[in-house]
Amino acid sequence: MFATKRLLQQRQPLIKFLGKRHTPSKVDHTPHAHPASPTHTLPESFATYRQKAQQHGPLNQSAQFSSGSGFIGNRPGASLGPVEPNNGMYFDRSELPARFQRLAWSQAEIEAIESGGASLYA
Amino acid sequence: MFRSILPRAAPKSVLQSVRGAQTSFRASNIYFQDRLRRGYASEAEEKDLVIIGGGVAGYVAAIKAGQAGLKVACIEKRGTLGGTCLNVGCIPSKSLLNNSHLYHTILHDTKHRGIDVGDVKLNLATLMKAKETSVSGLTKGIEFLFKKNGVEYIKGTGAFVDEHTVAVNLIEGGETSVKAKNIFIATGSEATPFPGLTIDEKKVITSTGAIALQQVPKKMVVIGGGIIGLEMGSVWSRLGAEVTVVEYLGQIGGPGMDAEISKMIQKMLTKQGMKFKLNTKVMSGDDSGETVKISTEAAKGGKEETLDADVVLVAIGRRPYTSGLGLENIGLETDDKGRLVIDQEYRTKIPHIRVIGDVTFGPMLAHKAEEEGVAAVEFLTKGYGHVNYGAIPSVMYTHPEVAWVGQNEQELKAAGVKYKAGSFPFSANSRAKTNLDTEGIVKFLSDAETDRILGVHIVGPNAGEMIAEATLALEYGASSEDVARTSHAHPTLSEAFKEAAMATYDKAIHY
């Protein structure tokens, strides 16, 4: 180890110690041509598909829902601020979207309770 | 409590239609039918990843995904894992190459080594059995690795139903379908047929038939002087066939092989008994008779010739395999050569469908497919993967072996890169001398200014193993001096590698 270090003072190899590999902090995920692609270009269909897939989705940063300023689609959701109710105010469960609300009892469940579970085996 | 017994999501109408009047009692079997029906509706478990194809790209990706904790399934229609490489490609051919080389050595190369052998006979059936043992051991090994890493193995033919669903036609009969957030296509490649010749894998064969011939043919014609053609030609030539290789280009080994190396190996193989017809076009073939007749013509207009053969090996290349995959159902197109188009993260235009291995860009090599399998899963799990397409080695397992990595002289000249070349012959290497196996050279190409290695080309004993060092050097951007100043054990063949590096930046000691 030290012998190598001493040697390196005289001759710097071209090969470099890269150290432990890390995932780069910024990776450009937008589609580019594959390095082994013979044409070095992406067909038009990539952009078209992306455009189509994004027109209603959160990835679409531009237009669609934001014809004027102040519309939700114009900015990321996070920039709208926290969703907590104001101080001293509370949300009632029934005001929340349906998926947060209590599930309705089904007829079968009501019967099961009323019959003490017997209806399940009847 | 009730959730486990009665799924709340069940629509009331279904419940009531079966139940009839609410107060009436019903038979228990009706109740269970009811449950079963709803059970199906909620059962379909979505996978994180489904891989179509259990070849080298597919199975490596499946194992890697399993290790990363993804819920993964791999669909394979062959019935055994490992794809072309393990079943009908690299592995069985290496078994035949190794054993046929031993046979050839014992037959022709033992006397002057001081070993007198008696009657030497070839037992082709046992030779093939040895090959099958190697193959089955390895394919079963992958099945074990699947279990170990929690990969679900679905034996059947997969086809896209929609962008997230793959229908599987099971080998054992029946059908199933899998839904997945991500899908990898790793369906590999197949041998390109030669127009006008019907492949029956007996008289007119591809590499698949070439590893399973029942008897040694008297005369064999190989169409295509690439790596597959030369390897399989070598096998049957060693076992006693008269092999003629017909190649359209002016050199054997394919366009990637360095021209100087290609000439050398051609001489060596000619010495072993193989015949070569370069710059020759195969015009047509006639397989109607007992033997197959192949009409050839000099590529640049000229002499016509008819070759007669018991067996014709079609080895003109491989093409991506996507038939029956249902690509039309999801609107994925292939390029002019049948490859699926991908971006730098292996994504098709549909971002959750990725493609790896032979069915997409790049050289059709198992180790390249393996790298892609790992990288594609890493793109999925970490958002970042790595394959250096500039440092993928190629190896031809003839004897002597040929191996190279990086660029060759013709490519550098065409690109106008200034380079230095240095080489070292195995005839000056002590270990090669003791092995009485001294044919071949190691050749380095490095940048004229920085001395950074641009390519390494080897023809000689053990070239396939030696190229690993060159690939590592290239991957890390080493100079030829870096390699030359690294100690290599004596006496080994790898000293030839070091000396070639020395010859590139300065001078070799032993030559």
Side-chain angles (χ1 to χ4, degrees):
Chain A
M1 184 77 191
F2 289 119
T4 310
K5 228 179 208 174
R6 219 170 296 143
L7 253 181
L8 291 186
Q9 287 168 358
Q10 286 146 35
R11 194 188 86 82
Q12 188 60 48
L14 194 62
I15 189 168
K16 287 199 175 61
F17 180 61
L18 298 175
K20 192 170 160 45
R21 305 285 180 100
H22 295 284
T23 304
S25 53
K26 274 187 188 165
V27 182
D28 180 10
H29 290 293
T30 53
H32 298 292
H34 186 265
S37 158
T39 55
H40 303 291
T41 50
L42 278 181
E44 191 54 37
S45 57
F46 274 69
T48 340
Y49 183 90
R50 217 172 156 81
Q51 190 62 37
K52 194 182 118 219
Q54 286 177 3
Q55 64 180 341
H56 301 299
L59 289 174
N60 189 6
Q61 299 286 328
S62 61
Q64 196 65 24
F65 299 110
S66 54
S67 48
S69 60
F71 284 83
I72 290 171
N74 209 14
R75 285 170 287 153
S79 69
L80 296 171
V83 291
E84 278 105 34
N86 293 331
N87 207 7
M89 288 173 73
Y90 299 93
F91 284 136
D92 189 89
R93 214 177 215 215
S94 58
E95 293 172 47
L96 294 173
R99 66 182 188 278
F100 298 116
Q101 290 179 19
R102 283 187 191 285
L103 295 172
W105 291 96
S106 72
Q107 194 59 39
E109 284 168 338
I110 293 170
E111 267 175 44
I113 293 170
E114 283 177 347
S115 66
S119 71
L120 292 177
Y121 300 97
Chain B
M1 172 185 167
F2 288 105
R3 182 173 283 269
S4 60
I5 303 169
L6 291 168
R8 283 165 184 253
K12 265 186 184 171
S13 58
V14 174
L15 237 162
Q16 282 171 352
S17 67
V18 176
R19 287 180 55 86
Q22 288 183 8
T23 48
S24 71
F25 289 103
R26 56 182 174 156
S28 61
N29 64 336
I30 297 178
Y31 167 70
F32 279 110
Q33 277 172 11
D34 189 10
R35 263 186 75 172
L36 273 176
R37 187 182 302 165
R38 278 179 285 141
Y40 274 126
S42 59
E43 191 184 48
E45 181 203 30
E46 195 184 43
K47 301 272 177 208
D48 292 320
L49 174 63
V50 160
I51 300 167
I52 309 175
V56 181
Y59 91 71
V60 168
I63 292 173
K64 182 79 187 164
Q67 287 170 349
L70 301 184
K71 263 189 281 172
V72 56
C74 183
I75 304 167
E76 169 58 53
K77 72 172 179 182
R78 195 187 294 268
T80 50
L81 293 166
T84 300
C85 171
L86 252 80
N87 292 283
V88 288
C90 335
I91 299 298
S93 68
K94 289 321 88 73
S95 166
L96 294 182
L97 276 159
N98 190 48
N99 293 334
S100 65
H101 175 60
L102 264 176
Y103 171 71
H104 195 256
T105 306
I106 294 168
L107 216 56
H108 301 289
D109 196 27
T110 53
K111 264 195 187 149
H112 68 290
R113 292 174 188 263
I115 306 165
D116 287 334
V117 279
D119 198 17
V120 183
K121 267 192 204 151
L122 173 71
N123 187 336
L124 194 60
T126 316
L127 194 86
M128 291 294 169
K129 214 172 163 195
K131 173 202 79 181
E132 276 145 31
T133 312
S134 315
V135 170
S136 70
L138 285 167
T139 51
K140 279 183 194 131
I142 304 172
E143 271 186 55
F144 163 75
L145 288 174
F146 267 22
K147 276 186 201 137
K148 189 179 154 195
N149 292 292
V151 178
E152 189 185 330
Y153 173 25
I154 305 172
K155 290 185 188 178
T157 312
F160 281 101
V161 175
D162 60 49
E163 290 180 6
H164 283 281
T165 317
V166 180
V168 188
N169 204 342
L170 297 170
I171 294 179
E172 289 166 354
E175 266 182 48
T176 183
S177 75
V178 260
K179 267 188 170 298
K181 293 191 187 85
N182 295 283
I183 298 171
F184 283 5
I185 301 173
T187 45
S189 60
E190 61 180 354
T192 312
F194 190 84
L197 282 175
T198 323
I199 286 159
D200 61 359
E201 299 294 9
K202 286 195 175 85
K203 273 198 308 186
V204 181
I205 58 174
T206 65
S207 56
T208 309
I211 55 161
L213 288 180
Q214 302 293 318
Q215 57 186 33
V216 182
K218 267 199 190 124
K219 283 185 180 177
M220 184 179 200
V221 167
V222 180
I223 306 178
I227 291 180
I228 296 177
L230 294 179
E231 285 186 359
M232 294 324 300
S234 279
V235 167
W236 295 105
S237 158
R238 289 168 192 170
L239 297 180
E242 191 185 297
V243 176
T244 309
V245 177
V246 185
E247 168 60 51
Y248 179 73
L249 296 176
Q251 71 164 47
I252 59 166
M257 194 183 278
D258 189 87
E260 185 188 355
I261 300 283
S262 170
K263 270 184 205 141
M264 291 177 89
I265 187 69
Q266 192 188 333
K267 263 189 204 159
M268 295 171 198
L269 293 176
T270 308
K271 223 165 80 185
Q272 289 171 23
M274 284 171 77
K275 287 181 190 155
F276 293 95
K277 291 191 180 299
L278 303 186
N279 294 312
T280 306
K281 216 164 147 183
V282 175
M283 302 306 289
S284 62
D286 176 17
D287 52 10
S288 56
E290 188 92 325
T291 56
V292 188
K293 288 190 182 1
I294 301 288
S295 317
T296 64
E297 191 184 290
K300 280 173 194 156
K303 227 174 72 182
E304 282 179 35
E305 198 182 348
T306 306
L307 300 170
D308 207 24
D310 301 306
V311 170
V312 172
L313 167 61
V314 179
I316 53 170
R318 296 182 67 80
R319 61 182 186 190
Y321 180 69
T322 51
S323 64
L325 192 55
L327 291 181
E328 62 285 354
N329 296 341
I330 50 170
L332 276 187
E333 305 109 7
T334 53
D335 74 354
D336 55 337
K337 289 199 172 141
R339 296 172 291 207
L340 281 158
V341 182
I342 49 168
D343 67 9
Q344 82 281 13
E345 297 190 0
Y346 305 102
R347 294 171 298 197
T348 59
K349 70 176 182 188
I350 307 168
H352 69 267
I353 300 177
R354 295 177 200 242
V355 188
I356 47 176
D358 283 6
V359 71
T360 187
F361 303 135
M364 289 187 181
L365 295 169
H367 43 276
K368 169 257 187 190
E370 221 172 305
E371 296 296 316
E372 289 186 339
V374 171
V377 172
E378 281 182 339
F379 272 120
L380 207 63
T381 55
K382 298 179 185 168
Y384 183 66
H386 161 96
V387 177
N388 183 354
Y389 289 90
I392 293 176
S394 298
V395 184
M396 180 166 90
Y397 297 86
T398 47
H399 188 84
E401 292 178 351
V402 180
W404 71 92
V405 66
Q407 290 163 292
N408 58 33
E409 270 198 88
Q410 2 4 334
E411 284 165 352
L412 290 175
K413 272 181 197 154
V417 179
K418 284 189 181 146
Y419 65 93
K420 294 183 290 183
S423 61
F424 190 83
F426 280 98
S427 55
N429 173 267
S430 54
R431 187 63 185 275
K433 274 246 187 279
T434 60
N435 290 351
L436 300 174
D437 196 0
T438 53
E439 284 185 319
I441 62 162
V442 179
K443 173 173 161 183
F444 268 69
L445 302 169
S446 77
D447 189 280
E449 207 174 300
T450 62
D451 190 32
R452 187 183 176 131
I453 299 167
L454 300 172
V456 177
H457 304 266
I458 309 169
V459 53
N462 226 18
E465 301 288 339
M466 199 179 285
I467 205 66
E469 186 178 357
T471 312
L472 193 70
L474 208 68
E475 180 75 42
Y476 281 84
S479 63
S480 66
E481 188 177 351
D482 291 341
V483 174
R485 289 196 185 277
T486 308
S487 174
H488 287 66
H490 175 77
T492 58
L493 296 169
S494 69
E495 281 177 294
F497 190 81
K498 174 198 164 95
E499 293 249 21
M502 287 175 100
T504 310
Y505 95 94
D506 191 11
K507 278 195 177 80
I509 297 292
H510 296 95
Y511 187 63

